[in-house]
Amino acid sequence: MSAVMITRKVTRKWEKLPGKNTFCCDGRVMMGRQKGVFYLTLFLIVGTCSLFFAFECPYLAVHLSPAIPVFAVLLFVFVMAMLLRTSFSDPGVLPRALPEEANFIEMEIEAANGNVMAGQRPPPRIKNVQINNQIVKLKYCYTCKIFRPPRASHCSICDNCVDRFDHHCPWVGNCVGKRNYRYFYLFTLSLSLLTIYIFAFNIVHVVLRSVDSGFVNTIKETPGTVLEVLVCFFTLWSVVGLTGFHTYLISLNQTTNEDIKGSWSGKNRVQNPYSHKSIIKNCCEVLCSPTYPSVLDRRGVMLEDLSSPTPSDASAASTHQSSNPVSQTTKSSAPLIPNEHTPDEAKPGIGSGTQKSTSSPKEEKPPSPTSPNAVAPAVIKESSH
């Protein structure tokens, strides 16, 4: 009998996950594929804070208070922690349906819709659920083959369905969803405070130096301060405005995706079923609710069976094939499909049979065993190794 070596390859589940996300540190870090703007965010934050620590903090610690650089360091560390936590975490990606699950859902949809006449458009694939005495539609995702949960949406950039999808933020290089929204909000809030803090003490630094050496000389002596003021001035409005917008959304328990689509403020004037009608309760639910675990199991182990014949078995099979060329010729001439019709050239005609029967005995010579055109017997015995 033939011997087969079965080897098992251990792989992590994140290596087989569909979508356009990138993974690092053996699946512990999960980001979007487009990370160029994220590196720009890191450069602006680290660069601006480095200039502040190098030029302003020594002077302000001596002339005003040593607590100024200490508080700036703490605020900088918190901003970086929230940025990395938002960028490197799973935003709430929903796993795609397995082939068996997708076939079952297709059967359910076909049974519910019935027979659709040819040329007619099939009905939309939606399900209705009731949340707080209000009907909410669950849409079917043709990419993930699932009915998306309430407030979930498919991100076209990451190519995944994200639970409580807010938006895809290129500045953090990741989607913002159910599992990292609070860290995104804390990042924007702390970044706004850090920008205001650096901008204000840059002005104080320029004013204190201008008293002694004049404004023009101060600008010439501290070019880093001028650069920090320009960067903070142009980024202050966008960061503070973004923080204010998300504060408004949190007070209503609403997402950016729902606000853009007008889900709860359109022509129908449908009320938000997720709002608690209280700003404090809405803020507590978004910012203080427990963190949900990831449903992807990125670092789970998968075992793949890789079968390969032994070297002795492979050499024996090759020796058998070389010593029995007749069986190879016969197998190649047999049809691949049992019901397959043979070509017209291979079919025995009536004339050929007549000629064979009327031929002289001299022409009827049995084929020699060594002849290459010898016909193999009808039954072929396969030898087992």
PDB file of all heavy atoms in Angstrom, residues 49-87:
ATOM      1  N   CYS A  49       5.457  68.864  19.424  1.00  0.00           N
ATOM      2  CA  CYS A  49       5.753  68.731  20.853  1.00  0.00           C
ATOM      3  C   CYS A  49       7.263  68.717  21.120  1.00  0.00           C
ATOM      4  O   CYS A  49       7.719  69.248  22.156  1.00  0.00           O
ATOM      5  CB  CYS A  49       5.107  67.456  21.398  1.00  0.00           C
ATOM      6  SG  CYS A  49       3.313  67.506  21.426  1.00  0.00           S
ATOM      7  N   SER A  50       8.036  68.157  20.215  1.00  0.00           N
ATOM      8  CA  SER A  50       9.493  68.165  20.400  1.00  0.00           C
ATOM      9  C   SER A  50      10.044  69.585  20.348  1.00  0.00           C
ATOM     10  O   SER A  50      10.919  69.945  21.163  1.00  0.00           O
ATOM     11  CB  SER A  50      10.146  67.304  19.320  1.00  0.00           C
ATOM     12  OG  SER A  50       9.701  65.963  19.399  1.00  0.00           O
ATOM     13  N   LEU A  51       9.550  70.388  19.425  1.00  0.00           N
ATOM     14  CA  LEU A  51       9.978  71.789  19.379  1.00  0.00           C
ATOM     15  C   LEU A  51       9.562  72.536  20.649  1.00  0.00           C
ATOM     16  O   LEU A  51      10.323  73.379  21.159  1.00  0.00           O
ATOM     17  CB  LEU A  51       9.378  72.470  18.153  1.00  0.00           C
ATOM     18  CG  LEU A  51       9.893  72.002  16.784  1.00  0.00           C
ATOM     19  CD1 LEU A  51       9.130  72.697  15.665  1.00  0.00           C
ATOM     20  CD2 LEU A  51      11.387  72.272  16.653  1.00  0.00           C
ATOM     21  N   PHE A  52       8.388  72.241  21.152  1.00  0.00           N
ATOM     22  CA  PHE A  52       7.927  72.914  22.375  1.00  0.00           C
ATOM     23  C   PHE A  52       8.784  72.528  23.573  1.00  0.00           C
ATOM     24  O   PHE A  52       9.139  73.386  24.402  1.00  0.00           O
ATOM     25  CB  PHE A  52       6.462  72.549  22.619  1.00  0.00           C
ATOM     26  CG  PHE A  52       5.872  73.181  23.840  1.00  0.00           C
ATOM     27  CD1 PHE A  52       5.556  74.531  23.864  1.00  0.00           C
ATOM     28  CD2 PHE A  52       5.617  72.421  24.977  1.00  0.00           C
ATOM     29  CE1 PHE A  52       5.012  75.117  24.996  1.00  0.00           C
ATOM     30  CE2 PHE A  52       5.076  72.996  26.108  1.00  0.00           C
ATOM     31  CZ  PHE A  52       4.761  74.344  26.125  1.00  0.00           C
ATOM     32  N   PHE A  53       9.118  71.242  23.678  1.00  0.00           N
ATOM     33  CA  PHE A  53       9.956  70.806  24.792  1.00  0.00           C
ATOM     34  C   PHE A  53      11.387  71.348  24.671  1.00  0.00           C
ATOM     35  O   PHE A  53      12.056  71.573  25.694  1.00  0.00           O
ATOM     36  CB  PHE A  53       9.997  69.278  24.850  1.00  0.00           C
ATOM     37  CG  PHE A  53       8.672  68.651  25.158  1.00  0.00           C
ATOM     38  CD1 PHE A  53       8.318  67.435  24.602  1.00  0.00           C
ATOM     39  CD2 PHE A  53       7.764  69.284  26.001  1.00  0.00           C
ATOM     40  CE1 PHE A  53       7.097  66.852  24.882  1.00  0.00           C
ATOM     41  CE2 PHE A  53       6.538  68.711  26.284  1.00  0.00           C
ATOM     42  CZ  PHE A  53       6.194  67.491  25.722  1.00  0.00           C
ATOM     43  N   ALA A  54      11.860  71.580  23.471  1.00  0.00           N
ATOM     44  CA  ALA A  54      13.243  72.022  23.274  1.00  0.00           C
ATOM     45  C   ALA A  54      13.409  73.524  23.441  1.00  0.00           C
ATOM     46  O   ALA A  54      14.426  73.980  23.993  1.00  0.00           O
ATOM     47  CB  ALA A  54      13.723  71.596  21.886  1.00  0.00           C
ATOM     48  N   PHE A  55      12.432  74.328  22.977  1.00  0.00           N
ATOM     49  CA  PHE A  55      12.614  75.784  22.960  1.00  0.00           C
ATOM     50  C   PHE A  55      11.863  76.502  24.085  1.00  0.00           C
ATOM     51  O   PHE A  55      12.417  77.384  24.732  1.00  0.00           O
ATOM     52  CB  PHE A  55      12.149  76.348  21.606  1.00  0.00           C
ATOM     53  CG  PHE A  55      13.035  75.961  20.466  1.00  0.00           C
ATOM     54  CD1 PHE A  55      12.700  74.904  19.629  1.00  0.00           C
ATOM     55  CD2 PHE A  55      14.234  76.632  20.224  1.00  0.00           C
ATOM     56  CE1 PHE A  55      13.512  74.542  18.581  1.00  0.00           C
ATOM     57  CE2 PHE A  55      15.058  76.271  19.175  1.00  0.00           C
ATOM     58  CZ  PHE A  55      14.704  75.224  18.346  1.00  0.00           C
ATOM     59  N   GLU A  56      10.604  76.130  24.321  1.00  0.00           N
ATOM     60  CA  GLU A  56       9.791  76.897  25.269  1.00  0.00           C
ATOM     61  C   GLU A  56       9.863  76.384  26.700  1.00  0.00           C
ATOM     62  O   GLU A  56       9.893  77.178  27.643  1.00  0.00           O
ATOM     63  CB  GLU A  56       8.318  76.904  24.821  1.00  0.00           C
ATOM     64  CG  GLU A  56       8.010  77.876  23.688  1.00  0.00           C
ATOM     65  CD  GLU A  56       8.473  77.327  22.359  1.00  0.00           C
ATOM     66  OE1 GLU A  56       8.448  76.087  22.200  1.00  0.00           O
ATOM     67  OE2 GLU A  56       8.877  78.131  21.493  1.00  0.00           O
ATOM     68  N   CYS A  57       9.862  75.059  26.872  1.00  0.00           N
ATOM     69  CA  CYS A  57       9.771  74.507  28.224  1.00  0.00           C
ATOM     70  C   CYS A  57      10.927  74.923  29.134  1.00  0.00           C
ATOM     71  O   CYS A  57      10.695  75.241  30.314  1.00  0.00           O
ATOM     72  CB  CYS A  57       9.674  72.979  28.144  1.00  0.00           C
ATOM     73  SG  CYS A  57       8.052  72.398  27.623  1.00  0.00           S
ATOM     74  N   PRO A  58      12.197  74.933  28.701  1.00  0.00           N
ATOM     75  CA  PRO A  58      13.268  75.380  29.618  1.00  0.00           C
ATOM     76  C   PRO A  58      13.081  76.815  30.108  1.00  0.00           C
ATOM     77  O   PRO A  58      13.296  77.111  31.296  1.00  0.00           O
ATOM     78  CB  PRO A  58      14.537  75.231  28.767  1.00  0.00           C
ATOM     79  CG  PRO A  58      14.203  74.197  27.754  1.00  0.00           C
ATOM     80  CD  PRO A  58      12.766  74.408  27.432  1.00  0.00           C
ATOM     81  N   TYR A  59      12.667  77.685  29.197  1.00  0.00           N
ATOM     82  CA  TYR A  59      12.487  79.091  29.592  1.00  0.00           C
ATOM     83  C   TYR A  59      11.270  79.247  30.505  1.00  0.00           C
ATOM     84  O   TYR A  59      11.335  79.962  31.532  1.00  0.00           O
ATOM     85  CB  TYR A  59      12.322  79.946  28.337  1.00  0.00           C
ATOM     86  CG  TYR A  59      12.202  81.424  28.614  1.00  0.00           C
ATOM     87  CD1 TYR A  59      13.330  82.226  28.726  1.00  0.00           C
ATOM     88  CD2 TYR A  59      10.950  82.026  28.753  1.00  0.00           C
ATOM     89  CE1 TYR A  59      13.221  83.590  28.983  1.00  0.00           C
ATOM     90  CE2 TYR A  59      10.824  83.368  29.009  1.00  0.00           C
ATOM     91  CZ  TYR A  59      11.962  84.150  29.117  1.00  0.00           C
ATOM     92  OH  TYR A  59      11.844  85.504  29.378  1.00  0.00           O
ATOM     93  N   LEU A  60      10.158  78.594  30.183  1.00  0.00           N
ATOM     94  CA  LEU A  60       8.948  78.726  30.988  1.00  0.00           C
ATOM     95  C   LEU A  60       9.093  78.063  32.348  1.00  0.00           C
ATOM     96  O   LEU A  60       8.515  78.526  33.339  1.00  0.00           O
ATOM     97  CB  LEU A  60       7.759  78.113  30.242  1.00  0.00           C
ATOM     98  CG  LEU A  60       7.350  78.803  28.935  1.00  0.00           C
ATOM     99  CD1 LEU A  60       6.258  78.010  28.228  1.00  0.00           C
ATOM    100  CD2 LEU A  60       6.889  80.236  29.187  1.00  0.00           C
ATOM    101  N   ALA A  61       9.861  76.976  32.437  1.00  0.00           N
ATOM    102  CA  ALA A  61      10.055  76.314  33.729  1.00  0.00           C
ATOM    103  C   ALA A  61      10.831  77.186  34.693  1.00  0.00           C
ATOM    104  O   ALA A  61      10.617  77.127  35.917  1.00  0.00           O
ATOM    105  CB  ALA A  61      10.782  74.984  33.531  1.00  0.00           C
ATOM    106  N   VAL A  62      11.722  78.020  34.173  1.00  0.00           N
ATOM    107  CA  VAL A  62      12.519  78.893  35.039  1.00  0.00           C
ATOM    108  C   VAL A  62      11.764  80.161  35.396  1.00  0.00           C
ATOM    109  O   VAL A  62      11.738  80.594  36.555  1.00  0.00           O
ATOM    110  CB  VAL A  62      13.860  79.222  34.350  1.00  0.00           C
ATOM    111  CG1 VAL A  62      14.644  80.260  35.171  1.00  0.00           C
ATOM    112  CG2 VAL A  62      14.681  77.960  34.160  1.00  0.00           C
ATOM    113  N   HIS A  63      11.120  80.784  34.403  1.00  0.00           N
ATOM    114  CA  HIS A  63      10.507  82.094  34.617  1.00  0.00           C
ATOM    115  C   HIS A  63       9.064  82.034  35.100  1.00  0.00           C
ATOM    116  O   HIS A  63       8.585  83.009  35.695  1.00  0.00           O
ATOM    117  CB  HIS A  63      10.557  82.912  33.325  1.00  0.00           C
ATOM    118  CG  HIS A  63      11.947  83.328  32.938  1.00  0.00           C
ATOM    119  ND1 HIS A  63      12.827  82.473  32.303  1.00  0.00           N
ATOM    120  CD2 HIS A  63      12.617  84.512  33.091  1.00  0.00           C
ATOM    121  CE1 HIS A  63      13.973  83.091  32.078  1.00  0.00           C
ATOM    122  NE2 HIS A  63      13.875  84.340  32.553  1.00  0.00           N
ATOM    123  N   LEU A  64       8.361  80.925  34.858  1.00  0.00           N
ATOM    124  CA  LEU A  64       6.980  80.832  35.329  1.00  0.00           C
ATOM    125  C   LEU A  64       6.807  79.718  36.350  1.00  0.00           C
ATOM    126  O   LEU A  64       6.655  79.996  37.548  1.00  0.00           O
ATOM    127  CB  LEU A  64       6.035  80.614  34.140  1.00  0.00           C
ATOM    128  CG  LEU A  64       5.802  81.819  33.217  1.00  0.00           C
ATOM    129  CD1 LEU A  64       4.827  81.460  32.113  1.00  0.00           C
ATOM    130  CD2 LEU A  64       5.256  83.011  34.020  1.00  0.00           C
ATOM    131  N   SER A  65       6.807  78.461  35.910  1.00  0.00           N
ATOM    132  CA  SER A  65       6.581  77.343  36.827  1.00  0.00           C
ATOM    133  C   SER A  65       7.126  76.061  36.207  1.00  0.00           C
ATOM    134  O   SER A  65       6.963  75.836  34.999  1.00  0.00           O
ATOM    135  CB  SER A  65       5.090  77.180  37.124  1.00  0.00           C
ATOM    136  OG  SER A  65       4.848  76.009  37.878  1.00  0.00           O
ATOM    137  N   PRO A  66       7.733  75.200  36.995  1.00  0.00           N
ATOM    138  CA  PRO A  66       8.195  73.905  36.456  1.00  0.00           C
ATOM    139  C   PRO A  66       7.055  72.938  36.170  1.00  0.00           C
ATOM    140  O   PRO A  66       7.278  71.886  35.556  1.00  0.00           O
ATOM    141  CB  PRO A  66       9.108  73.374  37.565  1.00  0.00           C
ATOM    142  CG  PRO A  66       8.661  74.066  38.806  1.00  0.00           C
ATOM    143  CD  PRO A  66       8.175  75.416  38.392  1.00  0.00           C
ATOM    144  N   ALA A  67       5.854  73.284  36.595  1.00  0.00           N
ATOM    145  CA  ALA A  67       4.713  72.402  36.328  1.00  0.00           C
ATOM    146  C   ALA A  67       4.259  72.473  34.867  1.00  0.00           C
ATOM    147  O   ALA A  67       3.550  71.576  34.409  1.00  0.00           O
ATOM    148  CB  ALA A  67       3.553  72.761  37.240  1.00  0.00           C
ATOM    149  N   ILE A  68       4.676  73.528  34.149  1.00  0.00           N
ATOM    150  CA  ILE A  68       4.242  73.677  32.756  1.00  0.00           C
ATOM    151  C   ILE A  68       4.774  72.547  31.881  1.00  0.00           C
ATOM    152  O   ILE A  68       3.993  71.897  31.171  1.00  0.00           O
ATOM    153  CB  ILE A  68       4.661  75.062  32.224  1.00  0.00           C
ATOM    154  CG1 ILE A  68       3.919  76.156  32.988  1.00  0.00           C
ATOM    155  CG2 ILE A  68       4.400  75.164  30.727  1.00  0.00           C
ATOM    156  CD1 ILE A  68       4.338  77.568  32.604  1.00  0.00           C
ATOM    157  N   PRO A  69       6.058  72.256  31.882  1.00  0.00           N
ATOM    158  CA  PRO A  69       6.518  71.121  31.054  1.00  0.00           C
ATOM    159  C   PRO A  69       6.015  69.766  31.553  1.00  0.00           C
ATOM    160  O   PRO A  69       5.813  68.852  30.743  1.00  0.00           O
ATOM    161  CB  PRO A  69       8.044  71.217  31.136  1.00  0.00           C
ATOM    162  CG  PRO A  69       8.323  72.009  32.349  1.00  0.00           C
ATOM    163  CD  PRO A  69       7.193  72.962  32.496  1.00  0.00           C
ATOM    164  N   VAL A  70       5.813  69.620  32.863  1.00  0.00           N
ATOM    165  CA  VAL A  70       5.330  68.347  33.395  1.00  0.00           C
ATOM    166  C   VAL A  70       3.917  68.066  32.881  1.00  0.00           C
ATOM    167  O   VAL A  70       3.609  66.957  32.412  1.00  0.00           O
ATOM    168  CB  VAL A  70       5.361  68.360  34.938  1.00  0.00           C
ATOM    169  CG1 VAL A  70       4.713  67.094  35.497  1.00  0.00           C
ATOM    170  CG2 VAL A  70       6.789  68.493  35.443  1.00  0.00           C
ATOM    171  N   PHE A  71       3.056  69.062  32.932  1.00  0.00           N
ATOM    172  CA  PHE A  71       1.697  68.874  32.440  1.00  0.00           C
ATOM    173  C   PHE A  71       1.685  68.647  30.924  1.00  0.00           C
ATOM    174  O   PHE A  71       0.877  67.869  30.412  1.00  0.00           O
ATOM    175  CB  PHE A  71       0.854  70.098  32.792  1.00  0.00           C
ATOM    176  CG  PHE A  71      -0.604  69.949  32.443  1.00  0.00           C
ATOM    177  CD1 PHE A  71      -1.439  69.181  33.233  1.00  0.00           C
ATOM    178  CD2 PHE A  71      -1.130  70.569  31.320  1.00  0.00           C
ATOM    179  CE1 PHE A  71      -2.778  69.035  32.905  1.00  0.00           C
ATOM    180  CE2 PHE A  71      -2.457  70.425  30.986  1.00  0.00           C
ATOM    181  CZ  PHE A  71      -3.292  69.656  31.795  1.00  0.00           C
ATOM    182  N   ALA A  72       2.593  69.301  30.221  1.00  0.00           N
ATOM    183  CA  ALA A  72       2.674  69.108  28.766  1.00  0.00           C
ATOM    184  C   ALA A  72       3.100  67.680  28.431  1.00  0.00           C
ATOM    185  O   ALA A  72       2.569  67.079  27.477  1.00  0.00           O
ATOM    186  CB  ALA A  72       3.651  70.110  28.164  1.00  0.00           C
ATOM    187  N   VAL A  73       4.022  67.121  29.205  1.00  0.00           N
ATOM    188  CA  VAL A  73       4.457  65.741  28.967  1.00  0.00           C
ATOM    189  C   VAL A  73       3.315  64.766  29.225  1.00  0.00           C
ATOM    190  O   VAL A  73       3.078  63.828  28.434  1.00  0.00           O
ATOM    191  CB  VAL A  73       5.676  65.409  29.844  1.00  0.00           C
ATOM    192  CG1 VAL A  73       5.982  63.927  29.797  1.00  0.00           C
ATOM    193  CG2 VAL A  73       6.894  66.207  29.398  1.00  0.00           C
ATOM    194  N   LEU A  74       2.587  64.970  30.316  1.00  0.00           N
ATOM    195  CA  LEU A  74       1.459  64.084  30.616  1.00  0.00           C
ATOM    196  C   LEU A  74       0.388  64.154  29.526  1.00  0.00           C
ATOM    197  O   LEU A  74      -0.166  63.126  29.107  1.00  0.00           O
ATOM    198  CB  LEU A  74       0.858  64.452  31.983  1.00  0.00           C
ATOM    199  CG  LEU A  74       1.764  64.238  33.200  1.00  0.00           C
ATOM    200  CD1 LEU A  74       1.062  64.703  34.469  1.00  0.00           C
ATOM    201  CD2 LEU A  74       2.160  62.768  33.319  1.00  0.00           C
ATOM    202  N   LEU A  75       0.106  65.358  29.063  1.00  0.00           N
ATOM    203  CA  LEU A  75      -0.903  65.517  28.018  1.00  0.00           C
ATOM    204  C   LEU A  75      -0.436  64.888  26.704  1.00  0.00           C
ATOM    205  O   LEU A  75      -1.219  64.248  25.982  1.00  0.00           O
ATOM    206  CB  LEU A  75      -1.207  67.001  27.829  1.00  0.00           C
ATOM    207  CG  LEU A  75      -2.502  67.372  27.089  1.00  0.00           C
ATOM    208  CD1 LEU A  75      -3.702  66.743  27.760  1.00  0.00           C
ATOM    209  CD2 LEU A  75      -2.652  68.888  27.033  1.00  0.00           C
ATOM    210  N   PHE A  76       0.840  65.023  26.397  1.00  0.00           N
ATOM    211  CA  PHE A  76       1.389  64.420  25.180  1.00  0.00           C
ATOM    212  C   PHE A  76       1.324  62.897  25.232  1.00  0.00           C
ATOM    213  O   PHE A  76       0.951  62.239  24.241  1.00  0.00           O
ATOM    214  CB  PHE A  76       2.829  64.888  24.992  1.00  0.00           C
ATOM    215  CG  PHE A  76       3.590  64.126  23.938  1.00  0.00           C
ATOM    216  CD1 PHE A  76       3.342  64.343  22.595  1.00  0.00           C
ATOM    217  CD2 PHE A  76       4.555  63.197  24.300  1.00  0.00           C
ATOM    218  CE1 PHE A  76       4.034  63.634  21.623  1.00  0.00           C
ATOM    219  CE2 PHE A  76       5.257  62.502  23.336  1.00  0.00           C
ATOM    220  CZ  PHE A  76       4.992  62.714  21.990  1.00  0.00           C
ATOM    221  N   VAL A  77       1.667  62.318  26.378  1.00  0.00           N
ATOM    222  CA  VAL A  77       1.622  60.860  26.528  1.00  0.00           C
ATOM    223  C   VAL A  77       0.189  60.362  26.381  1.00  0.00           C
ATOM    224  O   VAL A  77      -0.069  59.324  25.729  1.00  0.00           O
ATOM    225  CB  VAL A  77       2.227  60.438  27.874  1.00  0.00           C
ATOM    226  CG1 VAL A  77       1.989  58.956  28.140  1.00  0.00           C
ATOM    227  CG2 VAL A  77       3.715  60.755  27.911  1.00  0.00           C
ATOM    228  N   PHE A  78      -0.773  61.077  26.945  1.00  0.00           N
ATOM    229  CA  PHE A  78      -2.168  60.656  26.838  1.00  0.00           C
ATOM    230  C   PHE A  78      -2.661  60.729  25.392  1.00  0.00           C
ATOM    231  O   PHE A  78      -3.385  59.839  24.928  1.00  0.00           O
ATOM    232  CB  PHE A  78      -3.035  61.533  27.744  1.00  0.00           C
ATOM    233  CG  PHE A  78      -4.480  61.093  27.803  1.00  0.00           C
ATOM    234  CD1 PHE A  78      -4.859  60.032  28.603  1.00  0.00           C
ATOM    235  CD2 PHE A  78      -5.451  61.747  27.054  1.00  0.00           C
ATOM    236  CE1 PHE A  78      -6.174  59.620  28.660  1.00  0.00           C
ATOM    237  CE2 PHE A  78      -6.770  61.340  27.098  1.00  0.00           C
ATOM    238  CZ  PHE A  78      -7.137  60.274  27.912  1.00  0.00           C
ATOM    239  N   VAL A  79      -2.268  61.775  24.675  1.00  0.00           N
ATOM    240  CA  VAL A  79      -2.662  61.911  23.272  1.00  0.00           C
ATOM    241  C   VAL A  79      -2.103  60.751  22.443  1.00  0.00           C
ATOM    242  O   VAL A  79      -2.817  60.140  21.628  1.00  0.00           O
ATOM    243  CB  VAL A  79      -2.195  63.268  22.709  1.00  0.00           C
ATOM    244  CG1 VAL A  79      -2.333  63.302  21.194  1.00  0.00           C
ATOM    245  CG2 VAL A  79      -2.999  64.393  23.323  1.00  0.00           C
ATOM    246  N   MET A  80      -0.842  60.431  22.638  1.00  0.00           N
ATOM    247  CA  MET A  80      -0.235  59.341  21.877  1.00  0.00           C
ATOM    248  C   MET A  80      -0.864  57.998  22.227  1.00  0.00           C
ATOM    249  O   MET A  80      -1.057  57.131  21.352  1.00  0.00           O
ATOM    250  CB  MET A  80       1.266  59.306  22.125  1.00  0.00           C
ATOM    251  CG  MET A  80       2.017  60.515  21.581  1.00  0.00           C
ATOM    252  SD  MET A  80       1.828  60.714  19.807  1.00  0.00           S
ATOM    253  CE  MET A  80       2.513  59.185  19.218  1.00  0.00           C
ATOM    254  N   ALA A  81      -1.195  57.799  23.508  1.00  0.00           N
ATOM    255  CA  ALA A  81      -1.814  56.543  23.912  1.00  0.00           C
ATOM    256  C   ALA A  81      -3.185  56.373  23.262  1.00  0.00           C
ATOM    257  O   ALA A  81      -3.526  55.293  22.763  1.00  0.00           O
ATOM    258  CB  ALA A  81      -1.937  56.482  25.431  1.00  0.00           C
ATOM    259  N   MET A  82      -3.985  57.435  23.231  1.00  0.00           N
ATOM    260  CA  MET A  82      -5.307  57.353  22.626  1.00  0.00           C
ATOM    261  C   MET A  82      -5.214  57.193  21.107  1.00  0.00           C
ATOM    262  O   MET A  82      -6.019  56.486  20.493  1.00  0.00           O
ATOM    263  CB  MET A  82      -6.118  58.600  22.969  1.00  0.00           C
ATOM    264  CG  MET A  82      -6.483  58.725  24.443  1.00  0.00           C
ATOM    265  SD  MET A  82      -7.521  57.368  25.045  1.00  0.00           S
ATOM    266  CE  MET A  82      -6.299  56.358  25.909  1.00  0.00           C
ATOM    267  N   LEU A  83      -4.233  57.836  20.487  1.00  0.00           N
ATOM    268  CA  LEU A  83      -4.050  57.692  19.045  1.00  0.00           C
ATOM    269  C   LEU A  83      -3.683  56.257  18.671  1.00  0.00           C
ATOM    270  O   LEU A  83      -4.281  55.662  17.755  1.00  0.00           O
ATOM    271  CB  LEU A  83      -2.977  58.657  18.550  1.00  0.00           C
ATOM    272  CG  LEU A  83      -2.549  58.503  17.083  1.00  0.00           C
ATOM    273  CD1 LEU A  83      -3.721  58.736  16.141  1.00  0.00           C
ATOM    274  CD2 LEU A  83      -1.401  59.449  16.757  1.00  0.00           C
ATOM    275  N   LEU A  84      -2.719  55.694  19.364  1.00  0.00           N
ATOM    276  CA  LEU A  84      -2.297  54.321  19.070  1.00  0.00           C
ATOM    277  C   LEU A  84      -3.380  53.309  19.425  1.00  0.00           C
ATOM    278  O   LEU A  84      -3.545  52.301  18.737  1.00  0.00           O
ATOM    279  CB  LEU A  84      -1.004  54.002  19.816  1.00  0.00           C
ATOM    280  CG  LEU A  84       0.203  54.879  19.461  1.00  0.00           C
ATOM    281  CD1 LEU A  84       1.426  54.462  20.270  1.00  0.00           C
ATOM    282  CD2 LEU A  84       0.512  54.820  17.970  1.00  0.00           C
ATOM    283  N   ARG A  85      -4.114  53.579  20.481  1.00  0.00           N
ATOM    284  CA  ARG A  85      -5.213  52.677  20.859  1.00  0.00           C
ATOM    285  C   ARG A  85      -6.314  52.679  19.797  1.00  0.00           C
ATOM    286  O   ARG A  85      -6.893  51.637  19.480  1.00  0.00           O
ATOM    287  CB  ARG A  85      -5.793  53.101  22.210  1.00  0.00           C
ATOM    288  CG  ARG A  85      -6.880  52.179  22.745  1.00  0.00           C
ATOM    289  CD  ARG A  85      -6.324  50.816  23.071  1.00  0.00           C
ATOM    290  NE  ARG A  85      -7.294  49.963  23.719  1.00  0.00           N
ATOM    291  CZ  ARG A  85      -8.236  49.266  23.096  1.00  0.00           C
ATOM    292  NH1 ARG A  85      -8.296  49.315  21.775  1.00  0.00           N
ATOM    293  NH2 ARG A  85      -9.083  48.501  23.757  1.00  0.00           N
ATOM    294  N   THR A  86      -6.577  53.836  19.216  1.00  0.00           N
ATOM    295  CA  THR A  86      -7.589  53.922  18.159  1.00  0.00           C
ATOM    296  C   THR A  86      -7.097  53.285  16.875  1.00  0.00           C
ATOM    297  O   THR A  86      -7.852  52.586  16.181  1.00  0.00           O
ATOM    298  CB  THR A  86      -7.956  55.397  17.904  1.00  0.00           C
ATOM    299  OG1 THR A  86      -8.359  56.006  19.132  1.00  0.00           O
ATOM    300  CG2 THR A  86      -9.080  55.506  16.899  1.00  0.00           C
ATOM    301  N   SER A  87      -5.838  53.502  16.548  1.00  0.00           N
ATOM    302  CA  SER A  87      -5.308  53.047  15.257  1.00  0.00           C
ATOM    303  C   SER A  87      -5.010  51.560  15.233  1.00  0.00           C
ATOM    304  O   SER A  87      -5.173  50.914  14.189  1.00  0.00           O
ATOM    305  CB  SER A  87      -4.033  53.826  14.913  1.00  0.00           C
ATOM    306  OG  SER A  87      -4.280  55.217  14.892  1.00  0.00           O
TER     307      SER A  87
END
